[in-house]
Amino acid sequence: MTRTTRTPVAALAGNPNVGKSTVFNALTGSRQHTGNWAGKTVADAHGTLRCGDRQLTLVDLPGTYSLRARSQEEAAARDFLQSGEADVTVLVADATCLERNLILVLQVLEVTPNVVLCLNLMDEARKKHIQIDVNALKAELGIPVIPCAARRGDGLPQLTRAVCRAADTGAPTQVASIRYPAVLEQAAAQSPLPRAAALDALRRTPPEGMTAEQVDDMLTASAALRAEEIAMTCVRTGEDACRRDRLLDRVLLSRRFGLPLMLLLLALVFYITLFGANVPSQWLSGHLLGLTAPLAARLSALGLPQPLVSLVADGIWRVTATVVSVMLPPMAIFFPLFTLLEDAGYLPRVAFQLDHAFHRAHACGKQSLSMCMGFIILHYTLHTISTAFPSKMMRFINELTSKRLVTSGAFSNSAANWERASRNLSSGLFCRVCSIRIWPDSVFRSVFSSLTRPVNVSIGIALT
């Protein structure tokens, strides 16, 4: 994104799930435009923030936990901040877990000092008996700090004025910084790059006698330690503030009960979705498909030729009615249930619990959630396609083989990587449980290729 006018630009950054989108919509009045970052598949949004009789362009950066780019989202946020296009940066932090959010705040301050901190979810912090000394936090960071509750609109006028004032006056003279070990500070001082860029470059070209992993660990630990120091100075937490969350974590993340409870709960969600959708699906199918004959009669009465009537009534309408009746009910049940689990904080715990096993398959725990959604969509899509097969056995074989193929390929970015992704998933997860490798990679690759080739043909025929 390049600046084409003299309109000041404000960047909106923060961790995921801190209410950043709520703040963005409130500040811009939902007057936003969406698109993609150049060369990336990460969506961006920008809107207009009014400062009296003038305007600021507010750019909503992807949510990120760190500027140490390990994903496209983090790379997009880091590149935009380092480009200097933003005149001021608005950082949204979660007041209920300020220490974790301060890591990103300190990293952004290394890149650009003209920052306004929006301390969001202050109402939730009060419910948990968390007290934050805003004045002490301002003194520690050296930047404006505005307490807010974006959902209720509290603090947003003050935030708007602070952003406009920062865009006019520029960066403060002194802001908080991270204290790194002497060996890193000396290596960064010898680099011609700016301090933040020099420290980031040390991860690729570490000092003599150190590895890139050691440098990365030292950079991360230094930021976390500085954030902990600031949080200990400014945050007072009651003894029972997170007691309920800790008790839940002891059960939901325990080695004994965590996995069984996760499987039981997901099985319950799938059961409610798969079997609860039967009644509304049959009702919709009966009513929508029942309109086929009246539609054909109405089109024939208009004098349309019979092939065109058959195309519209028996082709377009029947296909549309079948897809709606099959897909709409389970989606209307599954996604609200998944939303409730996410709002309750359980889905992040599922991703955390499965992350180690998925890492063996060169994936991450968050992909387990997309697999759950993909399973539901795939199940009903293949069910619709399988109605074209004449026997129950052919339908069963098609659904079974197609689900195996598509699920294995869900870990790849393109069809060319399906074999490698399936090999990683099957052998990686299986060996994680059994600690042995049952078959050599070459054998698995040849068997997988021979099995999936005819399935590809069958799916292509079914789709056509």
Side-chain angles (χ1 to χ4, degrees):
M1 181 176 181
T2 57
R3 193 187 309 175
T4 57
T5 66
R6 299 297 298 175
T7 303
V9 175
L12 186 67
N15 291 174
N17 304 318
V18 296
K20 187 164 61 68
S21 298
T22 304
V23 174
F24 178 83
N25 292 330
L27 293 180
T28 61
S30 297
R31 298 182 296 272
Q32 58 177 286
H33 307 278
T34 58
N36 286 333
W37 294 95
K40 302 182 184 298
T41 58
V42 181
D44 80 282
H46 57 278
T48 301
L49 173 64
R50 299 192 178 277
C51 293
D53 56 351
R54 60 192 184 92
Q55 299 179 349
L56 270 73
T57 299
L58 187 62
V59 180
D60 187 13
L61 301 180
T64 175
Y65 291 105
S66 168
L67 292 187
R68 314 296 181 202
R70 294 183 175 88
S71 65
Q72 286 188 332
E73 290 81 4
E74 293 177 350
R78 181 202 61 188
D79 293 344
F80 186 83
L81 293 175
Q82 289 182 344
S83 67
E85 295 188 42
D87 299 284
V88 58
T89 301
V90 183
L91 281 174
V92 183
D94 185 354
T96 63
C97 50
L98 181 60
E99 180 179 335
R100 184 183 67 186
N101 288 248
L102 284 176
I103 296 177
L104 179 63
V105 174
L106 293 169
Q107 291 177 346
V108 172
L109 287 175
E110 289 185 333
V111 177
T112 170
N114 198 14
V115 174
V116 175
L117 179 60
C118 172
L119 206 55
N120 196 25
L121 300 177
M122 288 294 293
D123 51 340
E124 297 293 332
R126 283 190 288 269
K127 291 180 182 178
K128 294 184 176 182
H129 307 287
I130 298 175
Q131 300 178 359
I132 300 178
D133 190 339
V134 177
N135 293 326
L137 187 59
K138 290 180 183 178
E140 288 285 344
L141 296 176
I143 59 175
V145 178
I146 310 298
C148 294
R151 285 183 300 180
R152 298 164 45 181
D154 297 344
L156 293 178
Q158 294 87 337
L159 178 62
T160 302
R161 289 194 294 269
V163 173
C164 298
R165 191 182 310 113
D168 292 334
T169 59
T173 56
Q174 187 175 3
V175 296
S177 61
I178 304 173
R179 295 186 292 269
Y180 295 103
V183 60
L184 299 184
E185 292 284 5
Q186 294 173 1
Q190 296 173 359
S191 174
L193 299 173
R195 184 172 184 270
L199 290 169
D200 189 61
L202 292 178
R203 296 169 59 234
R204 298 183 295 273
T205 56
E208 185 177 356
M210 299 181 64
T211 64
E213 185 177 358
Q214 290 175 332
V215 172
D216 187 65
D217 290 342
M218 293 173 70
L219 292 174
T220 303
S222 300
L225 181 60
R226 185 73 177 102
E228 183 181 4
E229 292 176 357
I230 297 176
M232 291 179 63
T233 303
C234 307
V235 181
R236 296 290 180 270
T237 304
E239 295 182 357
D240 59 343
C242 301
R243 182 181 179 183
R244 182 175 63 89
D245 293 341
R246 293 194 182 100
L247 291 176
L248 289 175
D249 287 341
R250 289 178 183 176
V251 177
L252 297 178
L253 299 179
S254 65
R255 294 185 176 182
R256 178 178 298 180
F257 302 107
L259 188 60
L261 286 175
M262 179 194 68
L263 295 176
L264 180 63
L265 186 57
L266 292 180
L268 178 63
V269 171
F270 287 145
Y271 178 83
I272 296 174
T273 302
L274 298 179
F275 293 95
N278 289 336
V279 174
S281 180
Q282 293 176 359
W283 185 86
L284 282 175
S285 178
H287 284 74
L288 293 178
L289 293 179
L291 298 176
T292 304
L295 177 62
R298 182 65 61 88
L299 294 176
S300 299
L302 295 176
L304 297 179
Q306 188 59 31
L308 182 58
V309 172
S310 178
L311 174 64
V312 175
D314 297 329
I316 298 176
W317 174 251
R318 287 187 67 88
V319 170
T320 304
T322 302
V323 171
V324 171
S325 61
V326 171
M327 297 295 294
L328 182 60
M331 295 301 101
I333 296 174
F334 177 76
F335 285 108
L337 290 177
F338 237 49
T339 301
L340 290 176
L341 291 178
E342 182 179 9
D343 291 342
Y346 184 67
L347 292 188
R349 290 176 168 87
V350 172
F352 173 79
Q353 195 166 29
L354 296 177
D355 186 71
H356 184 69
F358 273 67
H359 183 71
R360 297 294 297 268
H362 300 281
C364 66
K366 290 187 289 186
Q367 290 185 251
S368 61
L369 308 180
S370 62
M371 286 179 62
C372 293
M373 293 185 286
F375 172 80
I376 294 295
I377 298 173
L378 177 64
H379 172 82
Y380 284 96
T381 302
L382 292 177
H383 175 76
T384 303
I385 295 174
S386 297
T387 57
F389 292 90
S391 66
K392 290 185 178 180
M393 180 58 66
M394 292 182 66
R395 296 175 186 174
F396 173 76
I397 293 175
N398 178 71
E399 291 190 17
L400 181 63
T401 55
S402 298
K403 286 178 182 178
R404 169 62 181 164
L405 171 66
V406 180
T407 305
S408 299
F411 282 82
S412 60
N413 294 325
S414 63
N417 294 327
W418 278 11
E419 294 182 20
R420 180 174 64 84
S422 178
R423 184 176 71 251
N424 289 335
L425 175 62
S426 301
S427 61
L429 290 180
F430 188 83
C431 294
R432 171 60 181 157
V433 177
C434 301
S435 299
I436 58 175
R437 185 172 292 276
I438 299 301
W439 50 72
D441 288 348
S442 57
V443 174
F444 183 87
R445 191 183 303 113
S446 60
V447 172
F448 179 77
S449 300
S450 62
L451 289 177
T452 56
R453 189 173 295 109
V455 177
N456 272 320
V457 177
S458 66
I459 290 181
I461 295 174
L463 290 175
T464 55

